[in-house]
Amino acid sequence: MTDSPQQRHTVLVEEIRRHDRAYYVEAQPTVSDREYDQLYHELLDLEAAHPQLRTSDSPSQRVGGEPIDGFETVLHAEPMMSLDNTYSQEEVREFVERVQKLLPGESLDWVVEPKADGIAISLRYEEGRFTVGATRGDGVAGDDVTANLRTIRSIPLRLQALGQADAPAVFEARGEVIMTRSGFEKLNQAREAEGESLFANPRNATAGSLKQLDPGLVARRPLDIVLYGSGEVADGPEIDSQLGLFNALGQLGFRTPEHTWHCKTAEEILAAIDELDRVRSGFDYDTDGAVIKLNRYDLRERVGATAKAPRWAMAYKYAPEQAQTRLNDITIQVGRTGTLTPVAELEPVFVDGSTISRATLHNEEEIGRRDIRVGDTVIIEKRGDVIPGVISVVRDLRPTGTEPFDMLAATGSQCPECGGAIHKDEEFVAWRCVNTDCPAQAAQRLEHFAARTALDIDCLGDIVSDKLVERGLAGSPLDLFDLTVEQLGPLNLGTDDEPRMFGEKNATKLVDSVERARTMGLDRWLFALAIPELGRTTAAALANFHKDVAAVARSEILQDVITLDELGEEIVRINPRSRKNKPATEQEKTEREQRYTARVGELREGIARLAKLGFAQVTKENGSRPPDYTTEIGPSVARSVLAWFGSETGRTTLGRLAKLGIDPQGTEPCESGGNEGVFAGKTFVITGTLPTMSRDESKAKIEANGGKTTGSVSKKTDYLLAGEKAGSKLAKAQTLGVHILDEQAFLKLCGE
Ligand code: IVH
């Protein structure tokens, strides 16, 4: 008798899951690719004929959803803590001693695991089905990235081993999403070919992938996951130790670290750390340290945790890997605002899993300070997030005849891209190409215009931008609005010998997204125009206080900021109480006093004018002296913005925007969140010192987004915005279960 469609479906699903697990989790494929494809296609056909069989946890449903507008915030059932870090073996010994002291008489055992360098994730399963996957966020709440995580084949959509009936009611697995090194290299190669910007390392590529709003795109990224922890567990397997956890995770169908060490003493732990360091270059993903965890859960509970990290675990970080190589040349790169950046061209060398042939040298002064010369043998270092840097020069190996680096000599006093004049402002360390028509700048401005946080234009990466400038199709970003699919389709991105066409499909995408950009918010537009010094956050602040681009160009607010800054300088200069300014005569003294008082009065009035608009906040009243204050945008950016709109480029841009009928207004967060703002009706308490914002700034942001602030934490408090040295308010918020945000999480909620 043949199977019913339902029975066949069950058999296929189980078989495919088994093969997925063997291939993606255990790395031991049990069937050939062809056999697998056959089963998979049979499943697709069966589900096409009987759509009712297509349940959400069918292997066919990994890429289900449509692109979304943004991520929901998920509150973690149990906080996702971080780890205390050390680079010192001595501190590892001290850590072991510390825990032993807290647990007198207990015989302790430890687990040493690789510290995967990826993005921390929590996977929630309810009744055995994968329901929610979230990023760590601030530890209390993260982004709901379920749809993106479903595309990762080593994440089971349904827990294995335990049958449906005895699946845990709730099981949260925690671990790290990673990108394999080989997958990362391939991804970057493909991006280079498509003219898209490259990721600096697998971790950034992972973070970038998880942030994608289109799961279809994420499905093509070589992501994987390693699990090493758990969150909420209800009616689940009895787990009483880290080793027990690994065992359970494995049984449920998760990938766990392939190497772990079970140790009894500090010496054994240190030996494990050493061994891990020797084998980790052979892993297919990046690791940056070892995590040492007390094995038994009952003992963990007895030692507890601080606000951020458990006392029973510690991360030992390996020193960033260094290598010695030869500096073959120093070339000069031209940035989008014309900045000339020296780049070290190195003899290729293998460091920590990848080949390095270029490193940043920052600027001429830095090169001079460290006396780095072409021909030198240099030590380079690969540091977590940043581009490799030159750490030092091996002076003993310097060949004869080398010369100190000199930007004018290296460039022949000309921009290496356009041959135009170069200039170094007194106050800046960087040289700049002053030709605004410089093709290198033009191409980078196009690319910047198209960036995701700017106007989000598809298919416009560095190669396409270069070609558009080279072929004279777009010298400035607004030229993009005149381009047609007919012009773009045949664009050759390759060479004459090896042509590679842009293609109609990509051209259509580009033209469509350029059209879409017409109606994007003022904040995105201001940022997209590549005005020197104007970042994404300051662009958003400008957009909040101005109706449109024209209003920014003739902004009285910005003019006021500059005037107040000048007044402040004058006040310092003429301060009669300063010793430098000791007046010679009584008459001069009176005059000075009068002038000083008048200027302080003007300053006060100006600040009050801006404060009324919500653009300035007084941070300290100083009696008769000038008050301390902050403005949404500082004087340097204000000067730069007004200077840009006053320049020929600025004036032309305004004229062209008007002709194109483009009049961007509002900000993106406002549009999506309605006029009330994301914090409408929410009550905040602020405590501690935030890393970059003053109290008043954060308060202004809360209010600008519809929320209000109060002084003390109660059950009615919705959020506690907590910085360094947060004290009793933090403790109280924790007891009351108030949602705690750090500055980063807060800014994210503000849409910045
Ligand atoms: S345990 C309460 N184990 O490192 C303990 N973390 O610096 C929570 N990480 O946020 C973490 N490998 O993203 C743990 N084997 C491992 C890990 C690991 C990587 C990451 C994780 C965590 C960060 C802390």
Side-chain angles (χ1 to χ4, degrees), residues 80-85 113-121 136 175-176 228 242 246 257 288 291 293 309-310 312-313 315:
M80 288 181 78
M81 296 218 258
S82 66
L83 293 170
D84 286 335
N85 275 332
E113 310 165 9
K115 183 165 175 346
D117 194 11
I119 302 296
I121 275 295
R136 176 173 179 274
E176 205 86 352
Y228 47 69
Q242 184 68 12
F246 281 138
D288 59 350
V291 182
K293 296 177 183 168
W312 44 262

Side-chain angles (χ1 to χ4, degrees), residues 478-497:
L478 294 185
D479 294 342
L480 294 170
F481 289 88
D482 298 329
L483 295 179
T484 60
V485 175
E486 291 70 33
Q487 274 173 306
L488 288 170
L491 182 70
N492 180 5
L493 301 180
T495 57
D496 288 344
D497 293 339

Side-chain angles (χ1 to χ4, degrees), residues 67-332:
I68 51 169
D69 292 333
F71 298 111
E72 300 279 327
T73 303
V74 188
L75 216 56
H76 299 303
E78 279 183 24
M80 288 181 78
M81 296 218 258
S82 66
L83 293 170
D84 286 335
N85 275 332
T86 181
Y87 285 91
S88 135
Q89 303 210 343
E90 198 39 50
E91 283 185 16
V92 172
R93 284 200 190 89
E94 286 168 15
F95 158 69
V96 172
E97 278 168 26
R98 201 161 53 236
V99 178
Q100 182 70 73
K101 257 201 200 132
L102 291 168
L103 299 166
E106 295 287 353
S107 143
L108 308 184
D109 63 324
W110 304 87
V111 179
V112 174
E113 310 165 9
K115 183 165 175 346
D117 194 11
I119 302 296
I121 275 295
S122 183
L123 306 173
R124 187 176 172 90
Y125 291 80
E126 286 170 18
E127 308 299 340
R129 279 167 201 265
F130 177 41
T131 51
V132 182
T135 58
R136 176 173 179 274
D138 60 356
V140 176
D143 283 341
D144 180 342
V145 287
T146 314
N148 288 348
L149 292 171
R150 286 175 69 92
T151 67
I152 301 176
R153 307 294 285 250
S154 49
I155 295 182
L157 298 180
R158 189 188 285 180
L159 295 179
Q160 303 252 349
L162 317 167
Q164 231 352 53
D166 56 357
V170 177
F171 188 86
E172 280 184 5
R174 290 185 172 170
E176 205 86 352
V177 175
I178 46 170
M179 187 175 283
T180 58
R181 286 174 172 164
S182 50
F184 166 73
E185 300 281 343
K186 271 195 214 133
L187 172 67
N188 259 356
Q189 279 162 14
R191 286 178 73 85
E192 189 157 24
E194 288 298 317
E196 292 173 66
S197 57
L198 302 187
F199 289 114
N201 53 41
R203 184 174 190 278
N204 284 6
T206 307
S209 302
L210 287 178
K211 276 194 208 132
Q212 290 293 331
L213 298 173
D214 179 1
L217 220 145
V218 186
R220 297 201 292 276
R221 296 278 169 87
L223 296 176
D224 206 329
I225 194 165
V226 196
L227 285 305
Y228 47 69
S230 61
E232 186 185 351
V233 179
D235 294 336
E238 279 299 313
I239 301 170
D240 58 11
S241 66
Q242 184 68 12
L243 292 179
L245 171 73
F246 281 138
N247 189 25
L249 286 171
Q251 277 186 4
L252 293 166
F254 294 104
R255 176 176 174 184
T256 50
E258 39 277 87
H259 288 70
T260 57
W261 288 259
H262 188 195
C263 307
K264 291 257 173 354
T265 62
E267 290 319 308
E268 281 178 24
I269 291 174
L270 291 173
I273 288 175
D274 264 356
E275 195 181 331
L276 171 58
D277 196 18
R278 280 195 299 279
V279 295
R280 71 195 179 101
S281 62
F283 293 1
D284 68 350
Y285 57 89
D286 279 356
T287 49
D288 59 350
V291 182
I292 308 135
K293 296 177 183 168
L294 189 60
N295 188 30
R296 274 169 53 186
Y297 282 11
D298 58 335
L299 298 181
R300 286 183 183 183
E301 242 171 68
R302 281 170 54 192
V303 291
T306 64
K308 275 186 141 180
R311 287 203 191 85
W312 44 262
M314 171 161 252
Y316 174 87
K317 302 252 267 182
Y318 296 113
E321 203 163 311
Q322 298 189 337
Q324 186 170 313
T325 188
R326 185 175 179 276
L327 176 62
N328 288 333
D329 200 2
I330 296 179
T331 54
I332 312 293

Side-chain angles (χ1 to χ4, degrees), residues 19 80 112 197 298 323 328 332 394 438 477 506 539 542 546 612 646 675 727 752:
H19 296 319
M80 288 181 78
V112 174
S197 57
D298 58 335
N328 288 333
I332 312 293
V394 187
C438 171
N506 288 335
L542 270 187
H546 297 83
K612 207 165 154 204
N675 281 336
E752 290 177 25

